[in-house]
Amino acid sequence: MLVLVLNCGSSSVKFAVINTASKEALSSGLVENIGVNGHFKAKGPVDNQDYNFDCPTHAEAVSAVQKYLDDQNLTSSIEAIGHRVVHGGKYIRSEKVTQDVIDYIRSITLFAPLHEPAHATGMECAKKIFPTLPQVAVFDTAFHQTMPPKAYLYGIPYEYYEKDGIRRYGFHGTSHRFVSAEACRMLERNPDDTCLITAHLGNGSSCSAILNSECVDTTMGFTPLDGLVMGTRSGSIDPAILFFLAKKYGYDVDRLDKLVNKESGLLGLSGLSNDMRTITKAASEGHAGARIALDVFCFRLSRCIGGIAMSLPRIDALVFTGGIGENSAAVREQVLHNLQLLGYRVDTEKNSCNGKNTNGIISSDHTPLAMVIPTNEELLIALDTEALVR
Ligand code: AMP
């Protein structure tokens, strides 16, 4: 089945056409700067396009995608649309898109203010522009809904969970689910009897503990700010730091929001960049800020892996994925070095060979398994979509 996968953000629409049989993307692209000055960039079987155009709303962006897919002779073969949705609130699995689903996504706007309205609008536009195609919503949070209360509750008064839904939701669920299934397949293990830790490391990063294919703990929380140190996000910090800064500098909520979401993480620590390529290169050349940013990133990650490991009876494999997890041998090596207590030992040669294009084991023989598996969220969205519309 050909599935159009749409990821509607606040000012962008990413798309991919996935063939679920061959598991290949036939076309992919992006409309960005919606509302400002649209920019379209895509590759397809007929040609590639890259142009600026007037794109005031998501409707124009989805129309531009349709026109491009027409030109690529793909539209008539597409049988369904799968939407990536950041926050699924109550949803525990992917859902067919109905008006109720769209209304619910809008109703939880406060949980992800930039994303949820854009997802709802994207679904409405797609319904108008592709009226005959069934649509499915695939939620980043759904995979984590199997966590037990002891893992998802915060230590604040219980009434805020009951009244306001304040709890750990977790994110990157599609990626954690994809790579955990891949790990079982590659290791020829029974998914109903396998314990895994998955580390999705990109601009946003999170780790999950997965017991028999179900998530039992994860590092992201009520929002994707919790947990690991990321590109520009602080990850978990003592919340009293925010009270201190508010009192000392008079910072309001928006200033603090920007500080911990956009100015922190690798960027804030290094004073140089949020990009792990720049950080690892500068660290190896002796840049002190980059060195400390890399050390904090890897130490926090190791500490979180050690922490969530406590929700598993054993660890059958530790899986690295995401832009950093797949590409940075230096980060993987440092993290495995920090995890010596759990028995991990890196195989330097395997670690430097395996990555984006070669799945594989990176730990030494006869030591606990660590491996790299490239993630493919679009493919999983397409497969879920196919399963629900068939
Ligand atoms: P993602 O959000 O999954 O696209 O990942 C983006 C992150 O991956 C950025 O921090 C990039 O610097 C990082 N990344 C991509 N390629 C490499 C590489 N070859 N070495 C280190 N980090 C990389």
Side-chain angles (χ1 to χ4, degrees), residues 172 200-204 231 266 273-280 321-331 356 375 377:
H172 295 140
H200 175 105
L201 311 175
N203 276 322
L266 295 175
S273 172
N274 65 325
D275 190 309
M276 188 54 95
R277 279 166 289 209
T278 311
I279 295 292
T280 37
T321 193
I324 297 172
E326 291 163 29
N327 294 300
S328 179
V331 167
K356 190 81 195 158
T375 194
E377 293 165 270

Side-chain angles (χ1 to χ4, degrees), residues 1-5 16-20 80 82 138 376-389:
M1 177 186 277
L2 287 202
V3 177
L4 170 60
V5 175
V17 177
I18 307 287
N19 181 335
T20 56
V138 180
N376 194 338
E377 293 165 270
E378 283 89 3
L379 174 59
L380 193 52
I381 292 170
L383 291 170
D384 267 16
T385 303
E386 177 179 42
L388 273 172
V389 303

Side-chain angles (χ1 to χ4, degrees), residues 194-197 208-211 216 308-315:
T194 302
C195 301
L196 299 168
I197 292 186
S208 292
I210 299 166
L211 174 64
V216 287
I308 63 171
M310 295 307 111
S311 51
L312 297 172
R314 57 176 199 277
I315 309 170

